[in-house]
Amino acid sequence: MNGSTRKLSDAGVSIWLDDLSRDRLTSGSLAELISAKNVVGVTTNPTIFAGALSKGAAYAEQMRQLAASGADVEEAVFAATTDDVRAACVVFEPIYSASKGYDGRVSIEVDPRLARDAEGTQKMARELYERVDRENVMIKIPATVEGLEPIAKTLAAGISVNVTLIFSLTRYREVINAYMLGLEEALKNGKDLSKIHSVASFFVSRVDSEVDTRLNEIGTEEALALKGKAGLANARLAYEVFEEMFSSERWARLASHGANVQRPLWASTGVKDPALPDTLYVSGLVAKHTVNTMPEATLNAVADHGEITGDTVTGEYTSSNKILDDIERLGISYVEVVDKLETEGLAKFDVSWEELLETVRKALSESR
């Protein structure tokens, strides 16, 4: 087992892979990452599935069968993606059982076109859960304003949720509130709270990409000195919110009924600026009860030369606040940045979904 990834796990960080494909499942690549690099979960999104299905060969036989059955493109996408997630759930089932549901999770996202449709999101979350039909599946729901209600209702039904696309500290508080609302309703519904798990996916590198572009435009020595710092600062302050809200009396009541904390998940951890260390969003975000979901390149970098030195979050709240304050004083609006990132994130997933539909549409056509 790799030394660096083992240190990360020992420090309380669960390593989840931000990738899934049928090739990865059938080749044994996923199983190898579990045994060699401490991977204990997988996340997917529309971009990942679009990339996987665009390669085509591994899905060719299924596409032929779907075409012969008369399936339309939406049905084919639903079948292919849920089959991959179900197979991955089987791979991770031993970890899921051993950790009592804490890890061994595989996430699948609702259709991103439903991000502003509360009723449609809730309905598809249920459909995905029933189709995958594995306890260790986690349904991903974007943290839009419209997504908060279906997050709570999905949890109330006893379904574990990965809340995704979180950028702002204010929205993160709303997400935690939705989690607690969902658990409170689940308790009323007679659900076993110990079986319900959730993570809140807080995006990191995209914050730096947006803020650093604006810092470059300002171009002063003070501005340039702040580059590469906003993403970590924002995420570290999210962990402060996590500590605060899961120390409340409200939470204590739920915990007394067996509820699990909703863990912060660090997403978008691939470093986009080549001037920054390629393990920055891993080594800089080490704290207990967190998940770091990494693309394979980042995971390999951590395994090769990652320096894991223990908690790099909880002692940084004062400095993190100062960083965000300094950025704001330069005229860069935090609210404007996080709002833009949410809008862009949804748009990118919409584009990926359309690419996925077009790839499957072509495969079905060629198979008929």
Side-chain angles (χ1 to χ4, degrees), residues 167-168 171 334-344:
F167 295 98
S168 85
R171 184 60 52 78
Y334 177 84
V335 171
E336 184 183 313
V337 166
V338 295
D339 286 351
K340 180 182 179 184
L341 288 171
E342 180 182 296
T343 300
E344 287 182 347

Side-chain angles (χ1 to χ4, degrees), residues 16 18 202-209 231 266-274 276-282 285 292-302:
W16 292 6
D18 193 25
F202 208 88
F203 280 51
V204 187
S205 68
R206 294 188 196 181
V207 174
D208 273 338
S209 295
W266 312 127
S268 182
T269 57
V271 176
K272 296 174 173 60
D273 183 349
L276 297 173
D278 57 0
T279 61
L280 179 67
Y281 304 125
V282 179
L285 290 172
N292 197 306
T293 181
M294 310 176 204
E296 189 170 15
T298 302
L299 176 62
N300 288 339
V302 172

Side-chain angles (χ1 to χ4, degrees), residues 18-20 42-46 48-49 85 106-109 140:
D18 193 25
D19 188 50
L20 183 64
V42 157
T43 53
T44 67
N45 60 44
I48 287 170
F49 278 132
V85 168
V106 185
S107 296
I108 184 169
E109 188 160 343
K140 288 180 83 172

